[in-house]
């Protein structure tokens, strides 16, 4: 049974310190390159999402590549966590990442299927 924040075959977005993160942690830029290279680890924590939102090109590339690789990831079924520093903020039917005074649309990267788990410190979405 997968632990909280660690559902295989999904993107798990967790608040740093609320759930166990994997020892293998990589920055968003490296995750993007691993997507392009079809080299996503079986269990990985991706860090630095809030910082990545400050780079429009990086976020656009990340969203495009995640969408392009979705079928391959569904087949491979890795466990991918995005460990975020901040909090989740519900905005209508979608969620934002609150980073200080800024709100970043998670739908922009992960699509509209984000679902809250447990007490709201964990979101999941299909690849």
């Amino acid at each position: 049974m997968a632990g909280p924040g660690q559902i295989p075959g999904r993107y798990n977005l967790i608040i740093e310190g609320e759930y166990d993160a994997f020892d293998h942690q990589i920055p968003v830029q490296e995750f993007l390159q691993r997507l392009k290279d079809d080299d996503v680890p079986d269990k990985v924590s991706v860090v630095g999402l809030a910082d990545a939102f400050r780079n429009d090109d990086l976020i656009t590339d990340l969203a495009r590549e995640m969408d392009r690789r979705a079928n391959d990831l569904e087949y491979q079924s890795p466990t991918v966590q995005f460990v975020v520093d901040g909090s989740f903020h519900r905005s209508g039917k979608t969620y934002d990442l609150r980073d200080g005074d800024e709100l970043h649309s998670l739908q922009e990267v992960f699509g509209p299927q984000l679902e809250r788990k447990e007490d709201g410190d964990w979101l999941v979405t299909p690849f």
Side-chain angles (χ1 to χ4, degrees):
M1 171 93 184
Q6 300 179 359
I7 297 178
R10 300 278 184 268
Y11 288 119
N12 296 263
L13 287 77
I14 62 173
I15 303 294
E16 185 175 18
E18 296 298 321
Y19 298 99
D20 290 335
F22 297 122
D23 291 336
H24 189 186
Q25 297 190 2
I26 60 175
V28 171
Q29 189 84 29
E30 182 178 339
F31 179 68
L32 174 59
Q33 189 58 52
R34 286 177 170 259
L35 280 171
K36 290 178 180 180
D37 296 343
D38 191 21
D39 186 29
V40 174
D42 189 47
K43 292 183 177 183
V44 66
S45 294
V46 181
V47 296
L49 184 62
D51 291 337
F53 271 107
R54 294 184 183 93
N55 180 335
D56 289 338
D57 291 339
L58 176 57
I59 285 298
T60 300
D61 289 349
L62 178 64
R64 184 180 313 119
E65 199 62 29
M66 286 169 60
D67 184 54
R68 191 176 78 77
R69 302 284 302 149
N71 288 340
D72 295 329
L73 290 175
E74 284 177 14
Y75 175 73
Q76 295 165 2
S77 198
T79 306
V80 180
Q81 294 177 324
F82 278 81
V83 182
V84 299
D85 185 20
S87 62
F88 300 124
H89 173 76
R90 186 166 182 134
S91 177
K93 293 183 177 182
T94 65
Y95 291 92
D96 296 327
L97 173 61
R98 182 181 301 279
D99 175 34
D101 292 337
E102 297 181 59
L103 288 176
H104 306 289
S105 171
L106 292 170
Q107 182 173 342
E108 186 178 334
V109 176
F110 297 98
Q113 297 182 42
L114 285 165
E115 177 184 333
R116 184 182 298 244
K117 293 288 189 184
E118 298 193 4
D119 295 327
D121 296 326
W122 171 25
L123 302 174
V124 296
T125 190
F127 290 131

